[in-house]
Amino acid sequence: MSPEQSLRALRGATTVTSNSREAIQEAVEELLDALAERNNLKGEQILSLTFSVTADLDACFPAAIARQRPGWDGVALLDCQQMAVAGDLERCIRLLAHVWLTQPARHAYLREAARLRPDLANS
C-alpha cells in the first residue's frame, strides 16, 4: 500500500444463464475483469473479497474461480449463500471487495444485475 491509497469497498453483481460451472465461471470472470479494469486493480491491492450467490447456484464456488487469477494468491476469499427473499433476482452472484485505491471506487453491476443498482451499473 502506498501512502496515497485508501481502503475502499467495491460492490458488484452479475447473473448467470444457467447453474453450470461454465456459466458461473464466465460470469465471475467477466465481473472481476470489469472491476479490475474500472479500478485499475491489481491482486496485491485486494485485501478480501466475499461472494454471495442465490440458492439456485450450486455448481461451483465463485471464490475458486477468483483464486485462479494471477496475483490473487494473497487475497482472502469467501463464498456464502445470499439471503433468500421472495422476488429476488434469480441466478445472481454478488460481491463485496475491500481494496486499496487512490481514486474513488467504481462498481460493476452487469447483465440482469444492473437492475439492482441502476445508479451504479455504468459507474
Side-chain angles (χ1 to χ4, degrees):
M1 177 186 83
S2 66
E4 64 275 356
Q5 290 182 326
S6 297
L7 185 61
R8 303 201 188 267
L10 282 181
R11 291 297 320 263
T14 190
T15 54
V16 299
T17 55
S18 66
N19 181 30
S20 70
R21 177 166 176 58
E22 295 77 20
I24 293 170
Q25 181 170 352
E26 177 185 319
V28 168
E29 287 175 352
E30 178 185 39
L31 181 58
L32 295 177
D33 287 347
L35 285 170
E37 182 179 314
R38 291 175 186 195
N39 293 284
N40 196 25
L41 196 57
K42 308 285 187 265
E44 62 268 10
Q45 293 172 263
I46 306 168
L47 182 62
S48 66
L49 199 152
T50 301
F51 290 96
S52 67
V53 300
T54 50
D56 52 5
L57 295 177
D58 62 3
C60 69
F61 294 106
I65 295 163
R67 195 168 286 112
Q68 307 283 327
R69 294 176 75 89
W72 286 43
D73 53 326
V75 178
L77 298 164
L78 177 67
D79 291 303
C80 60
Q81 191 172 49
Q82 181 71 25
M83 189 175 123
V85 174
D88 193 15
L89 191 58
E90 295 179 345
R91 293 183 311 275
C92 186
I93 301 170
R94 294 169 171 89
L95 70 76
L96 172 64
H98 294 95
V99 300
W100 295 105
L101 294 176
T102 57
Q103 72 279 357
R106 296 189 64 214
H107 310 284
Y109 285 79
L110 308 178
R111 302 181 183 190
E112 293 299 314
R115 295 185 308 174
L116 297 171
R117 290 297 305 265
D119 58 320
L120 298 177
N122 294 313
S123 65

